[in-house]
């Protein structure tokens, strides 16, 4: 957990260590033909065959190229991704942006973006097995679990995370983590006033949901 520049920044040896670690585990896709969904999925499948890929992230959805941008097209695309993941035993994530957040007239704060607020289609809510939203309020980044397909898959919760600028990491409770995640070595610079412990920032929703059948 070190910054790229400034005091206590990452060393050349540590940078090389990180590069060697990521080169065997993280790949970026840039299809030669186009950015259609078929081209992207073909590239993912190729990486799985060659490197044993087990998960992927499409970031962001608006970078994909479609002939149309209507609700039916998005529904078919999401179905294709779901079927692709199931057929190839892959875990897939999609990063999609919401429309302009609404402001709560009573509090004056922006409301938490919902899956229904994603630009383009309500199918982002309807088709997802899990749905998450990240919303910053009063300096705390809340990770909202908005949907899970089945109740035994987890809780609808909103854990809060505080940003630590020196390492660029977020932490949920206690003090920031400066551990080298590759070697396990602990690098702990002096803790400043804005890095005090974060406590009790988890909200468990008691919203009653019907089973999706």
């Amino acid at each position: 957990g070190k910054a790229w520049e400034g005091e206590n920044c990452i060393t050349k040896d540590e940078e090389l260590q990180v590069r060697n670690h990521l080169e065997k585990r993280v790949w970026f896709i840039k299809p030669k033909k186009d950015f259609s969904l078929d081209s992207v999925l073909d590239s993912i499948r190729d990486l799985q065959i060659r490197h044993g890929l087990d998960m992927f992230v499409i970031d962001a959805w608006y970078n994909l190229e479609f002939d149309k941008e209507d609700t039916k097209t998005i529904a078919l695309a999401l179905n294709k991704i779901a079927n692709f993941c199931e057929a190839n035993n892959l875990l897939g994530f999609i990063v999609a942006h919401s429309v302009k957040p609404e402001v709560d007239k009573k509090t004056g704060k922006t409301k938490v973006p919902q899956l229904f607020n994603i630009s383009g289609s309500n199918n982002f809510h309807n088709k997802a097995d899990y749905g998450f939203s990240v919303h910053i309020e009063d300096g705390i980044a809340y990770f909202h679990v908005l949907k899970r397909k089945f109740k035994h898959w987890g809780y609808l919760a909103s854990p809060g995370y505080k940003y630590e600028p020196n390492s660029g990491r977020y932490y949920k409770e206690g003090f920031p983590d400066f551990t080298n995640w590759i070697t396990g070595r602990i690098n702990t610079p002096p803790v400043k006033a804005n890095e005090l412990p974060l406590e009790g920032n988890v909200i468990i929703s008691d919203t009653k949901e019907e089973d999706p059948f």
Side-chain angles (χ1 to χ4, degrees):
K2 291 186 177 182
W4 288 102
E5 300 176 345
E7 186 180 357
N8 196 47
C9 65
I10 189 172
T11 66
K12 291 294 182 181
D13 288 341
E14 288 171 334
E15 181 180 346
L16 180 62
Q17 186 181 69
V18 171
R19 291 182 183 277
N20 290 336
H21 182 80
L22 294 181
E23 283 177 357
K24 303 173 184 177
R25 294 169 174 82
V26 179
W27 296 269
F28 292 90
I29 292 174
K30 189 175 182 179
K32 294 181 179 179
K33 184 179 179 181
D34 53 36
F35 269 91
S36 68
L37 180 57
D38 286 337
S39 294
V40 170
L41 295 182
D42 286 344
S43 298
I44 293 171
R45 177 59 179 152
D46 180 61
L47 283 172
Q48 184 186 36
I49 293 172
R50 292 191 290 119
H51 300 291
L53 190 75
D54 54 12
M55 67 176 66
F56 65 89
V57 181
I58 295 178
D59 183 9
W61 178 264
Y62 64 72
N63 287 323
L64 293 176
E65 299 171 357
F66 296 101
D67 294 332
K68 296 181 180 180
E69 295 277 345
D70 56 12
T71 299
K72 182 178 179 180
T73 300
I74 293 176
L76 292 174
L78 294 174
N79 282 339
K80 179 176 287 189
I81 293 173
N83 292 334
F84 174 81
C85 290
E86 184 174 354
N88 296 289
N89 195 28
L90 284 164
L91 178 62
F93 296 88
I94 297 172
V95 178
H97 296 86
S98 68
V99 296
K100 186 177 180 179
E102 297 180 24
V103 176
D104 190 312
K105 295 181 180 180
K106 294 182 179 180
T107 65
K109 297 181 179 181
T110 57
K111 296 181 179 180
V112 176
Q114 303 294 310
L115 299 178
F116 289 115
N117 299 134
I118 296 175
S119 179
S121 175
N122 288 339
N123 283 304
F124 285 104
H125 177 275
N126 300 334
K127 301 290 184 180
D129 290 337
Y130 280 101
F132 312 109
S133 178
V134 178
H135 182 66
I136 298 176
E137 184 176 328
D138 298 328
I140 304 297
Y142 288 94
F143 184 84
H144 298 276
V145 182
L146 302 176
K147 177 187 177 182
R148 81 282 198 229
K149 189 173 182 179
F150 302 107
K151 291 182 179 179
H152 64 277
W153 282 7
Y155 297 96
L156 301 183
S158 300
Y161 296 84
K162 192 173 182 180
Y163 180 68
E164 199 296 301
N166 294 302
S167 63
R169 294 176 178 174
Y170 287 85
Y171 61 103
K172 186 167 70 70
E173 58 187 11
F175 284 93
D177 175 19
F178 297 99
T179 305
N180 183 322
W181 290 347
I182 299 175
T183 65
R185 179 181 176 182
I186 299 176
N187 301 308
T188 309
V191 177
K192 299 179 183 179
N194 64 343
E195 297 165 0
L196 294 176
L198 180 65
E199 300 176 356
N201 275 290
V202 180
I203 302 171
I204 304 296
S205 175
D206 59 358
T207 303
K208 295 181 179 180
E209 288 189 312
E210 298 296 330
D211 289 326
F213 300 112

